Amino acid sequence: MATTPLSLFLLSLLLSLSLDAQAQTPAAPAPTPSGPVNFTAVLEKGGQFVTLIRLLNKTQTLNQIDNQLNSSSEGMTVFAPTDNAFNNLKAGALNDLSQQEQVQLLQYHILAKFYTMSSLLLVSNPVPTQASGPDGVWGLNFTGQSSQVNVSTGLVVVQINNALRQDFPLAVYPVDKVLLPEALFGVKPPSASPPAPSSKSNATTAAAGPTTDNNSAGGRNVALGLVVGLGLVCIGILS
């Protein structure tokens, strides 16, 4: 079938209308950036972290976490002790800590980098926590295989079985034991007591006392002898 001029005209007209329609179609809106990560909301959704949230607020550690979480390019990993974990602590364990020590305990549960469960098995132990400082590294050790990860403090070993959240920049793993750092809960060396005086020193002191008294008595006897002698001389001259 031959192409007529009318057919070519209609074809070009349809093509022009199609291009105009595509040009006028609005572009899809760019994805809206997600807001800041709400760490408290993650814990509240888990439903068993009332004690942890209270401690985070009491020590103002929560503000530090939120600020760092939403400003760091490395992300963050948090090991979150459950309410049962805190309940299983020895009575008075938390109250015996100073405010600064409670902050250090909480910081010991935080790594300043985002780790998935699988990447925790590839780290170089010990991994420094945020409690590390000029006094030394407060680290955690990770072992395990496949989907099983164990975390050890030297005093406590606990298994990580699941994640409350595992999306960058925040990973949160519930733990059923409080991670106790040796620096706070380890056996402390006994304080040094002043040395007891030796028996030799006591004997020397005891011997020194009578010697001084004897010397004093001897001096008095010499003086008395001189006085008597002078008296006798005077009597002899007068007689």
Side-chain angles (χ1 to χ4, degrees), residues 37 39-40 55-57 59-72 75-76 78 99-100 102-112 129-132 170:
V37 178
F39 177 54
T40 305
L55 279 174
L56 289 169
N57 282 307
T59 59
Q60 299 184 355
T61 306
L62 186 58
N63 294 334
Q64 175 189 348
I65 291 176
D66 287 338
N67 292 336
Q68 184 173 346
L69 179 61
N70 293 291
S71 62
S72 170
M76 179 179 293
V78 180
Q99 178 88 354
Q100 178 59 30
Q102 289 182 3
V103 171
Q104 290 174 312
L105 176 61
L106 293 172
Q107 290 176 333
Y108 190 64
H109 290 72
I110 303 171
L111 306 180
T129 67
Q130 287 201 330
S132 302
L170 175 64

Side-chain angles (χ1 to χ4, degrees), residues 9-147:
F9 172 75
L10 292 175
L11 182 61
S12 62
L13 180 61
L14 290 173
L15 181 60
S16 176
L17 291 174
S18 176
L19 293 174
D20 289 343
Q22 291 179 7
Q24 294 176 4
T25 302
T32 304
S34 59
V37 178
N38 190 330
F39 177 54
T40 305
V42 175
L43 294 179
E44 289 176 342
K45 185 177 180 180
Q48 52 182 339
F49 303 96
V50 175
T51 304
L52 178 59
I53 294 173
R54 177 177 59 81
L55 279 174
L56 289 169
N57 282 307
K58 175 186 175 183
T59 59
Q60 299 184 355
T61 306
L62 186 58
N63 294 334
Q64 175 189 348
I65 291 176
D66 287 338
N67 292 336
Q68 184 173 346
L69 179 61
N70 293 291
S71 62
S72 170
S73 61
E74 296 291 328
M76 179 179 293
T77 301
V78 180
F79 303 98
T82 63
D83 291 331
N84 285 337
F86 282 106
N87 292 336
N88 290 332
L89 286 176
K90 182 180 66 175
L94 290 179
N95 293 332
D96 290 342
L97 299 178
S98 66
Q99 178 88 354
Q100 178 59 30
E101 289 172 336
Q102 289 182 3
V103 171
Q104 290 174 312
L105 176 61
L106 293 172
Q107 290 176 333
Y108 190 64
H109 290 72
I110 303 171
L111 306 180
K113 186 176 180 180
F114 173 81
Y115 290 98
T116 62
M117 287 185 65
S118 58
S119 63
L120 286 172
L121 297 176
L122 305 176
V123 298
S124 177
N125 290 316
V127 180
T129 67
Q130 287 201 330
S132 302
D135 296 337
V137 175
W138 293 35
L140 295 172
N141 295 285
F142 297 92
T143 57
Q145 56 185 357
S146 185
S147 61

Side-chain angles (χ1 to χ4, degrees), residues 167-181:
D167 297 317
F168 187 85
L170 175 64
V172 182
Y173 302 106
V175 288
D176 57 12
K177 293 181 182 179
V178 179
L179 304 180
L180 303 179

